[in-house]
Amino acid sequence: MKITRLKELLSRKSSQKFIPEIDALRFFAIIPVMFAHMSQAFLEYNVNFDRALIESESLLREICFRGNIGVELFFGISGFILTLPFINLKRSELKFKKYFLRRLIRIEPPYIIALILFFVVHIVMGSESIGFLWERFLSSFFYLHNLVHESYSYILPPAWSLELEIQFYLLMPLFLYLFKAFKFKYWRPIVYAILLVVALNLNVSPHLELSDYFKYFLAGIVAADVYKNIKLPKHIIWDVVFTAGLLLFFFYFEDWFLRTLTLFLILIASLHLVLLRQMVTNKWVTIIGGMCYSLYLLHFPFYHLVMKLFTNKLTIFSTYEMNFMFQALIFIPLSIVCITAFYLLVEKPFMVLSQRYGKSKVPKKVE
């Protein structure tokens, strides 16, 4: 009974249609990212290993590093969930006031609270001047750090991808209007092709920008279109596609076309699983996936803090691999437990609030 109540407490609340496979995909995105950043923090603070040597020779380090690709999976998920409620509406039915209100209440407060928290931490640590930190804080506050400073957010490094998400949120309604500009049967595929070509050839900034990653959002958009309009039977072949797709996406494909196509197939396959569905949509998997926003905001500074304090004290084996896995098995679960408090006290209340004030009868939404 206590476990049931705990699961209920931790479960993400939504007044809209809930697709557990989407939270499962979030789990498969956030866990590799957490391992990647844990590995990075370990090598930054552990004085017992040669970082250059480990990064050039360790297979485990290479596997962990590839976990950063989970961010691209997040982009595909965003393209899917934000497009799905609107893809089949008529142009006259497209109303975005509720959409923007929900995004604002859902995303902004947790981000601002986390940003302020680590702004204060940086001041206390005294690593940079107040003026330097204030300038970076303002750039991150207005989601401009990538463009202004051509680097990851100094205050909250994971925010670099959130800046791109916000740009997509703002542009998505324009894409939907474009999709519905004409009733010509093949107009939407033509628009998809045009958007992909533009994204691949548009460079506004020498550093991070939406066009660098738009192909992954586009994979999600097309997946939502297919999911909504093409009836695909559930079959064990999708289990094979899903499993192989994740492995190829994270560890093999470098070519942008193959990676984008694989991301599209992962999204579609996850929604048509047979043998793997019960395992993939396990309650704890979807709970962790459902709190991925809190985990994403806070895990990076958490790992740098605990590695700075404890990694050398807990180095008890002779190899990098054994020591990293030993510490990862301690601090990755610990980070989930600790960040759960932020999820319950900050993210989830605003999640519920966004549903209350942003609820719309038409269209139905997933999140």
Side-chain angles (χ1 to χ4, degrees), residues 293-313:
Y293 185 45
S294 291
L295 292 172
Y296 190 76
L297 286 175
L298 301 185
H299 78 278
F300 186 94
F302 179 90
Y303 293 150
H304 278 260
L305 175 61
V306 296
M307 288 297 95
K308 185 176 183 179
L309 294 175
F310 301 115
T311 185
N312 293 298
K313 297 176 183 178

Side-chain angles (χ1 to χ4, degrees), residues 125-137:
M125 292 175 60
S127 57
E128 297 289 348
S129 68
I130 297 295
F132 176 93
L133 294 173
W134 179 245
E135 182 181 350
R136 268 62 184 178
F137 174 84

Side-chain angles (χ1 to χ4, degrees), residues 30-283:
I30 191 60
I31 294 299
V33 170
M34 293 171 75
F35 268 93
H37 290 159
M38 171 72 185
S39 176
Q40 176 186 340
F42 178 93
L43 287 174
E44 183 167 335
Y45 296 103
N46 196 298
V47 299
N48 298 281
F49 302 100
D50 184 331
R51 181 170 183 171
L53 183 65
I54 295 298
E55 292 193 335
S56 63
E57 295 186 0
S58 174
L59 176 61
L60 178 60
R61 170 56 181 160
E62 174 62 21
I63 291 173
C64 289
F65 179 79
R66 301 289 293 184
N68 287 302
I69 295 171
V71 176
E72 297 167 8
L73 180 53
F74 274 126
F75 290 156
I77 295 169
S78 291
F80 180 88
I81 63 171
L82 294 180
T83 305
L84 189 64
F86 301 97
I87 196 68
N88 281 347
L89 296 182
K90 297 178 181 178
R91 187 170 182 177
S92 60
E93 295 175 323
L94 293 176
K95 309 295 182 182
F96 295 105
K97 181 178 178 181
K98 300 291 186 181
Y99 160 80
F100 283 118
L101 183 60
R102 286 190 65 211
R103 289 294 97 192
L104 179 65
I105 298 174
R106 173 74 176 84
I107 298 298
E108 192 76 3
Y111 171 66
I112 297 302
I113 291 171
L115 193 63
I116 292 173
L117 172 64
F118 290 106
F119 176 62
V120 173
V121 169
H122 279 288
I123 292 176
V124 173
M125 292 175 60
S127 57
E128 297 289 348
S129 68
I130 297 295
F132 176 93
L133 294 173
W134 179 245
E135 182 181 350
R136 268 62 184 178
F137 174 84
L138 288 179
S139 298
S140 295
F141 185 91
F142 291 106
Y143 302 99
L144 295 173
H145 201 286
N146 292 344
L147 295 176
V148 173
H149 301 290
E150 298 181 5
S151 66
Y152 299 154
S153 170
Y154 185 85
I155 306 296
L156 192 61
W160 73 268
S161 62
L162 187 57
E163 291 186 24
L164 302 185
E165 291 262 2
I166 295 299
Q167 294 170 28
F168 177 72
Y169 293 166
L170 295 175
L171 291 175
M172 193 272 287
L174 297 180
F175 299 147
L176 286 168
Y177 279 120
L178 185 60
F179 297 158
K180 300 174 187 302
F182 300 101
K183 295 182 179 180
F184 174 52
K185 181 178 180 180
Y186 299 105
W187 173 246
R188 202 177 290 168
I190 291 173
V191 174
Y192 292 150
I194 292 173
L195 287 175
L196 182 58
V197 170
V198 170
L200 293 173
N201 292 277
L202 180 65
N203 289 296
V204 178
S205 165
H207 194 59
L208 296 166
E209 59 182 67
L210 180 60
S211 63
D212 295 328
Y213 294 91
F214 182 73
K215 52 185 174 289
Y216 303 118
F217 288 102
L218 188 59
I221 293 173
V222 178
D225 198 347
V226 171
Y227 176 68
K228 200 76 171 181
N229 294 298
I230 300 178
K231 185 67 174 179
L232 296 172
K234 293 189 176 184
H235 194 279
I236 59 172
I237 190 64
W238 291 116
D239 296 68
V240 177
V241 171
F242 179 76
T243 304
L246 283 175
L247 293 173
L248 293 171
F249 183 71
F250 276 98
F251 300 113
Y252 188 75
F253 286 150
E254 299 290 345
D255 179 80
W256 69 265
F257 176 77
L258 292 177
R259 287 168 63 75
T260 304
L261 177 61
T262 303
L263 176 54
F264 164 78
L265 291 173
I266 289 170
L267 291 165
I268 292 297
S270 69
L271 299 163
H272 298 85
L273 297 174
V274 177
L275 300 177
L276 294 176
R277 187 181 185 278
Q278 185 173 357
M279 180 188 73
V280 166
T281 59
N282 173 273
K283 190 64 175 179

